[in-house]
Amino acid sequence: MERIAVYPGSFDPITNGHLDIIRRASRIYDKVIVGVLCNGGKNPVFTPEERVCMIRSVTSDIQNVEVDSFTGLLVEFVKAKNAAVIIKGLRTVADFEYEFQMALLNKALNPEYETMFMMTDTKYSYISSSMVKELAGFKGDLTGLVPASIINKIQEKYK
Ligand code: COA
């Protein structure tokens, strides 16, 4: 049986921290499906299509990665994709409490699904999408924070 995992998030925009998790997960699972949340309450800067497009472009060299967007419950997306694993990245202790609660909630919604946590690489532990956007707003240098190939795309939003 194919081991399919879903890596969900807002990805507004994708960062090098997210990409690191995707690469590492792709070595563990047969297929990793990156799920871009459309209906989050975060007032995203990038449309779901833009986010999906950026993620596809920076993961095009990874054979077993797919990218799709979803609305509604994560467990429904996991079901629709025939997956059984939810991957989440943990950066700091601060992430843990929220992620623990989400994992338990998703477990209550569907006990067949497991949430697997991956520790972020220390060099990415301070990166977040909000920080990238704030920096871009001040015309700061995004080198090393997001994949080089999408820096222009992000900067365009803040012209
Ligand atoms: N590297 C860098 N940044 C990372 C990271 C990593 N490895 N892992 C997480 N982050 C950052 C993100 O950049 C983001 O930063 P921001 O807050 O500055 O934007 C932050 O951590 C949170 O990530 P986000 O992608 O917004 O995910 P989330 O943990 O808030 O959860 C879903 C998103 C899609 C998983 C969640 O909202 C969900 O499941 N929604 C569907 C509805 C549902 O089923 N809800 C549960 C039952 S009610």
Side-chain angles (χ1 to χ4, degrees), residues 19-90:
L19 188 56
D20 173 58
I21 299 283
I22 295 169
R23 278 194 195 288
R24 285 158 55 199
S26 73
R27 293 185 209 121
I28 299 168
Y29 296 98
D30 297 318
K31 193 197 283 184
V32 174
I33 300 171
V34 182
V36 177
L37 179 69
C38 290
N39 59 337
K42 284 189 176 177
N43 285 328
V45 167
F46 297 91
T47 65
E49 293 75 24
E50 287 171 326
R51 286 179 270 154
V52 165
C53 184
M54 282 190 281
I55 302 169
R56 281 198 183 130
S57 74
V58 300
T59 58
S60 59
D61 63 316
I62 317 171
Q63 299 302 315
N64 57 338
V65 170
E66 276 180 30
V67 189
D68 206 349
S69 58
F70 73 101
T71 53
L73 285 179
L74 174 60
V75 287
E76 295 300 330
F77 181 68
V78 172
K79 184 177 179 185
K81 295 293 180 185
N82 285 321
V85 172
I86 298 164
I87 295 168
K88 297 302 303 268
L90 282 182

